[in-house]
Amino acid sequence: MAEASTGVSGGRLRFILSEMKPRGRWLTPFNVISIPVIIVGLVILWFRFTQGLGSVTNLSQAFPWGFWIGFDVVTGVAFAGGAYVITFVVYVMKEEKYRPIVRVTVLNGFLAYLFYAGALVLDLGRPWHIVNPIIGNSFGYNSVLFLVAWHFLLYMIAEAIEFSPAVAEWLGARKARRLLHAMTLAAVIFGITLSMLHQSGLGALFLLAKAKIHPLWYTEFIPILFFVSSIFAGLSMIIFEGTISEKVLKEYLGDKAGGHDNLVFGLAKGAAIAMFVYYFFKLLVFLHEGHWSELDTPWGWWFLVEVLGLVLLPCILYAFGARHRSLGIIKVAAVLTLIGIVVNRLNISVIAFNWQAPVHYIPSWQEIVVTLMIIFLEIWVFRWVVTRMPVYPGTNNRPAPAIDSD
Amino acid sequence: METYTYVNIFETKGLEYLLLICFLVLFIFFVRYLNAADKPS
Amino acid sequence: MDRRNFLKTAGVACAAATGARSARAQEHDTDPEEFVGVLVDTTRCIGCRSCEIGCALAHNLPVPDVQDDGALEAVRTTSETSWTVVNRFETDSGEVFVKKQCMHCWQPACTAACLTNAMAKTARGPVTWDGDKCMGCRFCMVSCPFDIPKFEYDEWNPRIQKCNLCNERLERGEKPACVASCPTDALMFGTKRELMEIARTRIYAHPERYVHQIYGEFEAGGTGWLYLSAVPFEQIGFRTDLGVTPYPEYTRDFLYAVPVVFFGMPALLYGLNLLAARTEAVRGAPNGAEHVPSPENPSTSE
């Protein structure tokens, strides 16, 4: 087709509208579960915004940050770390082997930031002031949170640029695609740098909570530990998510989403090495702090569960699975690793936070429903995008009005 | 008060360096173990 | 110690010993750049809770019923409706009453945590909160080693509530409301320098009456509120494990590293990219082709 510039805009609008329509079966198990959850979640949010955070959450003066921060934001961002790892491998190191999963990983990362970091807004007491640290009337640059907020914003822009060629292809905008494609490397390099800093920055937030976090978890190395663990958290999420979408999206993707076994072994190897290093980081911190007497307390046992059961064990499983080419073992390792990341992030932000408090915070059911709502919404958007835009290689989701293959 | 007694903040450095050496040795074995999979079995 | 300082200390010592108010410590035309604070002598506090009333009246908070001693049964914390509370502790040397409120740290954790500068340290010393800036993230609450900022969880438009050292009264040249309403001189307002002299003098003059420590001199880098006590501070509800490092120091290295990483990483990544491109060219791979090499392809290293 010739040119997509002038008379096409009307056609493009009609195309977008037609793409908005749902496709496929409606009564899938996922829809049946997610739709009620989303509705209940919206009702909860109505109470939250009219009657205050206290009406739906178990947050208290002693526990100002709960599940929405500890899980949605802190853990969600760690899970989204795969995007910067894969873009590093493919765009910077030019390891073409991983190109087939670049787009889906970047899309996942972008949506994770949009929804999970976006969940921060629900937790803010005065969210209408969220622009204050952005537009410049009150820059609190002395704050780690200022840095993290800015980095979230900038990284979302970088990831949007990284993903935008797919959108341009979907819309058949060739010129735009060429321009956006040219910006990719710059966006990638900028994005990796930002990721390093805000992944560790999320940990650096808790440096100020020295008086409150259990000594087994508090260390000046928290930022570095957060950064290193985001590498294997991201890789594990790619493996986990790939396994799921391979099954669920079969009707759209055929065999195209699968068949990446070799990629998975490579990812597993990378995760194994990152976890090996991380495990020794943990040992080093423990030796340096020297809280030997804390080990034989319930907190110490819990610490050992995290470090031995959810770091060392999956590390060994990854290595074993990569060596013996066993996808099953790698999947088990991925799930264990993800649980380990959840446990680690929640330990620092919620569980071992204010550990001496007489009454400890436990999330309310409303907090959990809202979290599920956010996850489901993200999956809805993800599903919409991958069934329409060229995210997976080789899938021809749609005939675009004016696209040239290039 | 602890501010009036000598505190050696580098007390654990010896152990830390031992750990470092262990790490380097183990890392070699670990990487060798992992890369053995590269040869098609 | 030079003669001038000696005379000053001695003069203050006499004043303190006779129970007279130190004229210097009550002056308000102090250098605006010099931080002010309050000295709490817990051996003088009788637990009348007049300070709680004074505070509530000054800030339009619910006025507590001080006739009801039941409030003293359990140790209370400050809350979103009471910026200061007096607690009773049973100790080895009998009942001790301790007032609790924001410590007005020299280098506060909350202001270092605040990303909108809503929490700010004024030039005179009070740590204040600005509702037009705050976005309610509660990072100040997470970071405060004394657990002071309190949040209105049951409001759609919540505020952070905490003692502001009566900043608005200080600007009018008045003393904080709690100090003004204290009938026993347990509270004394002044610059920290003067308050430290008075506190030390009391300890020197009556070494048997006080533990030889002034809480707030160094804790968390030093605070505006200072405490004298007859019993060890951990027995009257103080944390003595906070260390002497100012809290902002804990994030200083990280924040310093940010520009360093930004200087280095993009260049490093770009360099790696050039190297990778060169390796590819040497290997003769088709440039920019979106192909997947066969799995048996050797990786970039050996």
Side-chain angles (χ1 to χ4, degrees):
Chain A
M1 271 162 260
E3 203 42 68
S5 49
T6 44
V8 186
S9 55
R12 190 168 289 160
L13 190 67
R14 227 174 299 124
F15 168 70
I16 293 175
L17 284 176
S18 77
E19 290 280 89
M20 295 306 287
K21 281 185 206 132
R23 286 183 195 165
R25 290 182 302 125
W26 261 99
L27 274 178
T28 58
F30 174 72
N31 289 2
V32 170
I33 297 170
S34 65
I35 290 173
V37 168
I38 291 172
I39 292 170
V40 175
L42 290 174
V43 174
I44 293 171
L45 286 184
W46 190 78
F47 282 106
R48 176 257 169 275
F49 280 109
T50 53
Q51 289 167 35
L53 279 162
S55 62
V56 295
T57 69
N58 279 348
L59 295 174
S60 64
Q61 305 297 353
F63 290 92
W65 284 357
F67 201 63
W68 287 352
I69 296 288
F71 183 79
D72 299 12
V73 180
V74 179
T75 313
V77 167
F79 283 167
Y84 80 86
V85 179
I86 289 300
T87 52
F88 171 73
V89 171
V90 174
Y91 293 113
V92 177
M93 299 309 293
K94 305 210 168 210
E95 185 52 279
E96 293 294 327
K97 181 176 154 190
Y98 296 98
R99 191 174 283 279
I101 57 168
V102 161
R103 278 190 177 169
V104 66
T105 309
V106 170
L107 174 66
N108 257 314
F110 176 71
L111 292 179
Y113 276 84
L114 196 62
F115 282 90
Y116 303 141
L120 193 68
V121 178
L122 307 180
D123 197 72
L124 292 180
R126 307 158 79 89
W128 44 91
H129 285 165
I130 196 170
V131 293
N132 279 356
I134 305 293
I135 59 174
N137 60 341
S138 40
F139 275 172
Y141 15 63
N142 41 18
S143 170
V144 179
L145 197 57
F146 175 79
L147 179 94
V148 171
W150 263 97
H151 279 200
F152 277 180
L153 182 72
L154 293 174
Y155 187 58
M156 277 164 68
I157 295 171
E159 279 198 313
I161 294 172
E162 286 166 28
F163 186 72
S164 59
V167 182
E169 282 169 32
W170 171 61
L171 293 174
R174 270 181 71 208
K175 275 186 187 158
R177 189 203 176 277
R178 207 166 294 143
L179 176 73
L180 293 166
H181 189 71
M183 290 162 70
T184 301
L185 182 65
V188 163
I189 289 179
F190 191 51
I192 294 168
T193 314
L194 287 168
S195 288
M196 265 185 89
L197 286 170
H198 71 246
Q199 293 284 359
S200 50
L202 277 175
L205 292 178
F206 295 96
L207 291 177
L208 278 180
K210 187 179 198 305
K212 301 179 188 174
I213 294 173
H214 190 281
L216 281 173
W217 280 275
Y218 185 86
T219 153
E220 58 207 288
F221 278 103
I222 289 180
I224 294 172
L225 291 174
F226 265 52
F227 170 63
V228 176
S229 55
S230 75
I231 296 174
F232 59 78
L235 291 174
S236 301
M237 197 65 202
I238 296 173
I239 295 172
F240 178 73
E241 188 272 326
T243 311
I244 304 285
S245 42
E246 200 175 313
K247 287 208 179 78
V248 176
L249 294 173
K250 211 166 212 143
E251 62 177 292
Y252 297 112
L253 305 172
D255 293 333
K256 294 292 200 284
H260 295 338
D261 291 2
N262 259 309
L263 295 190
V264 173
F265 296 133
L267 296 174
K269 221 195 242 184
I273 291 175
M275 290 179 91
F276 188 79
V277 173
Y278 177 77
Y279 176 70
F280 274 85
F281 260 128
K282 277 285 210 189
L283 283 186
L284 176 73
V285 167
F286 177 73
L287 277 184
H288 183 84
E289 303 285 332
H291 295 296
W292 292 94
S293 60
E294 299 282 351
L295 270 193
D296 197 22
T297 64
W299 287 110
W301 306 333
W302 181 230
F303 177 76
L304 290 177
V305 167
E306 183 197 314
V307 175
L308 297 180
L310 298 169
V311 177
L312 185 59
L313 178 65
C315 171
I316 293 169
L317 287 178
Y318 264 135
F320 188 84
R323 159 102 182 216
H324 296 277
R325 309 207 141 238
S326 161
L327 277 181
I329 290 176
I330 288 175
K331 284 172 191 168
V332 172
V335 171
L336 277 180
T337 307
L338 293 177
I339 295 172
I341 292 292
V342 174
V343 167
N344 172 261
R345 297 301 198 263
L346 284 183
N347 271 339
I348 286 174
S349 57
V350 177
I351 298 171
F353 182 87
N354 253 342
W355 56 290
Q356 286 159 315
V359 182
H360 206 283
Y361 159 88
I362 294 166
S364 67
W365 66 267
Q366 292 100 322
E367 283 172 81
I368 292 173
V369 169
V370 169
T371 298
L372 284 176
M373 176 189 91
I374 290 161
I375 295 173
F376 287 152
L377 281 175
E378 195 242 346
I379 295 174
W380 272 74
V381 175
F382 177 79
R383 190 175 62 174
W384 184 84
V385 173
V386 296
T387 52
R388 280 156 183 83
M389 298 183 193
V391 173
Y392 292 99
T395 50
N396 206 7
N397 284 318
R398 29 121 343 261
I403 192 176
D404 278 76
S405 60
D406 68 336
Chain B
M1 268 186 278
E2 71 274 11
T3 34
Y4 296 111
T5 53
Y6 176 64
V7 178
N8 180 7
I9 59 168
F10 299 118
E11 213 165 356
T12 53
K13 273 289 163 286
L15 270 177
E16 287 164 29
Y17 290 149
L18 274 179
L19 180 76
L20 166 68
I21 294 164
C22 289
F23 168 77
L24 289 174
V25 172
L26 282 171
F27 192 69
I28 292 170
F29 284 107
F30 189 72
V31 169
R32 281 172 58 94
Y33 174 85
L34 272 176
N35 281 338
D38 268 2
K39 287 157 198 120
S41 43
Chain C
M1 187 189 284
D2 67 353
R3 186 174 154 274
R4 217 174 125 241
N5 266 340
F6 173 77
L7 286 178
K8 193 157 81 181
T9 313
V12 174
C14 292
T18 55
R21 287 184 178 218
S22 160
R24 272 194 69 82
Q26 306 291 339
E27 273 174 19
H28 306 306
D29 55 346
T30 46
D31 179 3
E33 294 301 313
E34 189 167 349
F35 287 164
V36 293
V38 177
L39 172 64
V40 185
D41 190 333
T42 59
T43 64
R44 295 186 182 190
C45 181
I46 56 171
C48 67
R49 299 168 63 199
S50 304
C51 50
E52 289 187 24
I53 297 176
C55 177
L57 291 174
H59 300 108
N60 297 322
L61 298 168
V63 178
D65 175 17
V66 296
Q67 304 300 320
D68 176 20
D69 265 2
L72 290 172
E73 289 305 317
V75 172
R76 298 173 295 159
T77 67
T78 60
S79 71
E80 65 271 34
T81 53
S82 48
W83 289 2
T84 183
V85 290
V86 175
N87 280 313
R88 180 174 61 197
F89 293 90
E90 298 294 338
T91 67
D92 305 341
S93 36
E95 263 182 354
V96 176
F97 296 98
V98 183
K99 181 181 182 300
K100 179 175 185 161
Q101 72 298 309
C102 175
M103 298 291 281
H104 297 279
C105 302
W106 252 215
Q107 294 188 48
C110 56
T111 61
C114 187
L115 75 165
T116 60
N117 290 334
M119 232 13 132
K121 181 97 176 153
T122 58
R124 254 176 184 275
V127 179
T128 58
W129 177 80
D130 180 352
D132 289 335
K133 293 181 174 177
C134 176
M135 59 192 227
C137 70
R138 307 190 294 289
F139 191 24
C140 51
M141 302 169 70
V142 169
S143 64
C144 176
F146 301 102
D147 265 330
I148 290 301
K150 296 285 152 47
F151 184 79
E152 293 177 323
Y153 281 106
D154 295 319
E155 299 287 335
W156 72 270
N157 185 11
R159 289 169 297 177
I160 293 286
Q161 294 280 18
K162 78 174 221 6
C163 161
N164 64 352
L165 201 58
C166 288
N167 191 40
E168 65 287 349
R169 288 172 60 99
L170 297 193
E171 280 167 2
R172 294 199 298 265
E174 297 170 50
K175 284 183 278 182
C178 53
V179 178
S181 53
C182 181
T184 64
D185 271 349
L187 305 180
M188 183 175 271
F189 174 76
T191 66
K192 179 161 178 177
R193 191 213 318 267
E194 295 157 346
L195 295 176
M196 282 304 301
E197 284 172 359
I198 294 165
R200 287 205 192 97
T201 308
R202 286 188 195 167
I203 292 176
Y204 295 156
H206 297 283
E208 74 295 342
R209 198 185 287 168
Y210 296 103
V211 291
H212 293 194
Q213 183 191 355
I214 302 161
Y215 194 93
E217 182 177 13
F218 301 120
E219 276 68 19
T223 61
W225 281 66
L226 304 167
Y227 286 81
L228 284 172
S229 169
V231 294
F233 282 100
E234 49 272 23
Q235 291 182 23
I236 53 172
F238 286 91
R239 285 192 71 161
T240 50
D241 60 344
L242 295 177
V244 299
T245 311
Y247 263 59
E249 292 276 341
Y250 292 119
T251 52
R252 198 181 81 129
D253 291 349
F254 178 79
L255 289 174
Y256 228 135
V258 169
V260 176
V261 170
F262 254 105
F263 293 156
M265 276 304 286
L268 177 71
L269 290 169
Y270 186 58
L272 281 174
N273 180 257
L274 291 179
L275 280 176
R278 191 168 149 64
T279 314
E280 213 169 50
V282 168
R283 263 208 252 115
N287 223 356
E290 304 216 354
H291 80 127
V292 186
S294 69
E296 262 64 51
N297 242 12
S299 58
T300 37
S301 53
E302 295 73 55

